[in-house]
Amino acid sequence: MARPEIIKTELGRRLRDVRKAVGDPQRDEFANELGISDKSLANYERGDRVPDANVLASYFLKYNVNITWIVAAEGSMFLDGGPPTPDGNGDPAVQPAVFKATGKLVHESHKAKGVMLPSDAHLAETVSRYNELVAAARNPADESELRALFPWLQLRISQDLEEAQNAPGSGKRSG
């Protein structure tokens, strides 16, 4: 008899909901599609661990899942109405390497300002900043263009953090 499913976080619940929405395949089969171990998937779905940028990008690339929905419960579960068709056609716009580098930039920028984000807030910030980066690019499919915008994005993050720290009520005003 299988153990009852205990999900500890909303993020875990949304990840489990994705697997159900794509036909509820066995955990090992779904994990294999995402390129992770079934134990890792179990940890993510229970809410024991938070998936990294590469895993989130796999949800998008394999199943057309809206990463913003996974991280922040905003929008619909799938982009463009649903998961990609079995023939693999879809619009894989998220570039895992750039998404991961964006996450690193978010982490380093916050660390430089003495701000440590919890895992779920870091993921939400990474998604937001990646979307900002893509919106600023003339050709979002061009990885070199997206990477060329990193100094601009780093400046934006830094300015936003300074503004937040100096805002009334933050308790972190300098001067």
Side-chain angles (χ1 to χ4, degrees):
M1 181 179 211
R3 287 186 277 164
E5 200 170 62
I6 298 172
I7 300 176
K8 302 172 186 173
T9 66
E10 289 303 311
L11 175 62
R13 165 65 53 210
R14 287 189 294 278
L15 293 171
R16 180 63 180 104
D17 288 346
V18 169
R19 184 157 56 107
K20 287 178 182 177
V22 297
D24 208 11
Q26 293 295 314
R27 183 181 298 137
D28 60 341
E29 178 185 330
F30 190 70
N32 187 50
E33 283 292 315
L34 294 173
I36 59 176
S37 72
D38 61 330
K39 287 186 179 194
S40 291
L41 180 61
N43 283 326
Y44 300 148
E45 289 183 351
R46 276 194 311 268
D48 291 336
R49 302 203 42 132
V50 175
D52 66 18
N54 288 333
V55 173
L56 293 175
S58 292
Y59 273 87
F60 171 77
L61 293 170
K62 297 287 183 182
Y63 297 102
N64 205 26
V65 175
N66 179 351
I67 296 172
T68 303
W69 178 83
I70 290 177
V71 175
E74 294 180 9
S76 60
M77 182 185 296
F78 296 104
L79 297 173
D80 300 326
T85 57
D87 65 5
N89 289 334
D91 186 17
V94 173
Q95 298 184 38
V98 176
F99 189 81
K100 184 176 181 178
T102 303
K104 185 176 180 182
L105 180 66
V106 165
H107 174 75
E108 290 172 353
S109 297
H110 281 77
K111 186 177 177 182
K113 295 289 184 184
V115 177
M116 298 309 292
L117 291 173
S119 308
D120 55 345
H122 178 265
L123 284 172
E125 180 74 3
T126 299
V127 168
S128 175
R129 296 303 181 163
Y130 181 84
N131 289 339
E132 190 175 348
L133 184 71
V134 168
R138 182 174 282 167
N139 179 5
D142 183 352
E143 181 177 341
S144 62
E145 181 182 351
L146 292 174
R147 288 184 179 276
L149 289 169
F150 277 2
W152 166 82
L153 185 60
Q154 185 172 21
L155 177 63
R156 292 283 306 254
I157 294 169
S158 179
Q159 289 171 337
D160 290 349
L161 287 170
E162 285 175 18
E163 185 178 304
Q165 287 176 332
N166 291 325
S170 70
K172 298 181 180 182
R173 276 192 243 175
S174 58

